[in-house]
Amino acid sequence: MAQRFQTAVSLLYPPRCLGCGEMVERDFGLCGPCWRDTPFIAGSVCDACGVPLPGAEDGHRLECDDCMERPRPWTQGRAALLYKDRARRMVLALKHGDRGELARPAALWMARAARPLLRDAMLIAPVPLHWARLVRRRYNQSALLAQHLSIQTGLVQCPDFLVRTRRTQPLDGKSVRQRFADLDGTIRAHPRRRHRIAGRSVLLVDDVMTSGATLAACTTACLEAGAAEVRVITLARVAKDA
């Protein structure tokens, strides 16, 4: 009966490409052209933020210029996509276009990128939204990604471990210095969730990393709450043009 029901649903609502809407064989997939046009990150990457680096891996820690200039408070970081072209459109659709169904395949891509980061008993925590922004947007895209990433990895998530204590203005167009200044002291661990993090590794989840200011503020909050270490995974990473 379940198979018949699934067949009937497929006939009424055939699976479509997440990128362009063309029909595909399976739900939550990309067609061939969209897959080719989606900038997945592979090869040598910065061990701190996941941005692609030239050359081959040599067994030593590699870091990009940004991460060497501004050392990150977290231990390691990865990203699944470069924030450009079709990937940028999908991230914006998830964030602002009410396309929550994108979180499921995105979490699968993130789980693959995050394999070097995963540790036993690690706690997954999403980057929080301020409550006023959450009311207007109706969902936190980072929490959706964390929820599906928990399913993919088998790790426990705590969707409200971190809270924003102050609403900040949009960071778009601001300098790196302004971004870090605006976010200073704005994120704290939930007082009723602190016990869950003592001595544990934390995997922070966000949709996009640009300067790293938001992830740095979240990492500081986790470490102050007693986390043993923090690692970060994002769906996409903004990278400078070569």
Side-chain angles (χ1 to χ4, degrees):
M1 288 294 293
Q3 183 64 39
R4 291 178 180 177
F5 179 76
Q6 186 65 39
T7 300
V9 171
S10 297
L11 290 173
L12 290 172
Y13 304 101
R16 294 186 176 276
C17 173
L18 295 169
C20 67
E22 291 295 320
M23 287 191 290
V24 292
E25 293 183 359
R26 298 180 180 180
D27 289 324
F28 308 106
L30 294 171
C31 67
C34 286
W35 183 272
R36 290 192 298 270
D37 292 343
T38 301
F40 288 93
I41 294 175
S44 299
V45 299
C46 172
D47 210 35
C49 73
V51 73
L53 294 177
E57 296 182 1
D58 58 4
H60 297 282
R61 183 180 176 91
L62 301 174
E63 290 191 358
C64 66
D65 292 343
D66 287 346
C67 291
M68 287 191 290
E69 181 180 348
R70 185 182 294 275
R72 309 299 184 180
W74 59 81
T75 305
Q76 279 183 296
R78 292 291 188 274
L81 308 169
L82 285 175
Y83 186 66
K84 64 178 185 178
D85 304 332
R86 192 170 296 280
R88 180 177 182 273
R89 293 195 292 271
M90 285 194 290
V91 170
L92 292 176
L94 170 64
K95 191 170 186 175
H96 300 296
D98 207 19
R99 293 284 307 279
E101 76 278 5
L102 291 170
R104 179 176 169 183
L108 176 60
W109 305 332
M110 293 169 71
R112 292 172 180 167
R115 284 173 185 167
L117 314 181
L118 304 183
R119 298 295 183 270
D120 293 338
M122 183 175 251
L123 183 71
I124 295 178
V127 168
L129 284 179
H130 188 268
W131 67 266
R133 189 162 293 166
L134 181 60
V135 168
R136 188 176 76 248
R137 193 177 295 174
R138 295 182 291 109
Y139 64 93
N140 177 359
Q141 72 280 356
S142 297
L144 286 179
L145 292 170
Q147 176 186 355
H148 288 283
L149 188 60
S150 174
I151 295 171
Q152 291 291 337
T153 62
L155 297 173
V156 176
Q157 63 149 341
C158 186
D160 60 347
F161 177 75
L162 295 171
V163 294
R164 287 188 184 248
T165 58
R166 186 176 77 248
R167 184 177 181 181
T168 56
Q169 296 298 315
L171 300 178
D172 295 343
K174 293 190 175 183
S175 68
V176 172
R177 186 181 298 276
Q178 288 173 323
R179 286 169 178 258
F180 277 84
D182 286 355
L183 287 162
D184 184 40
T186 63
I187 298 175
R188 293 285 184 269
H190 193 298
R192 296 183 180 179
R193 304 290 183 268
R194 294 173 67 96
H195 67 281
R196 300 191 60 181
I197 204 174
R200 297 178 71 173
S201 296
V202 176
L203 183 64
L204 281 177
V205 177
D206 204 3
D207 55 347
V208 180
M209 176 180 171
T210 305
S211 67
T214 302
L215 289 165
C218 290
T219 298
T220 299
C222 289
L223 295 175
E224 289 178 348
E229 64 166 353
V230 177
R231 299 165 190 254
V232 304
I233 179 67
T234 61
L235 174 55
R237 172 72 166 103
V238 175
K240 297 177 180 178
D241 292 332

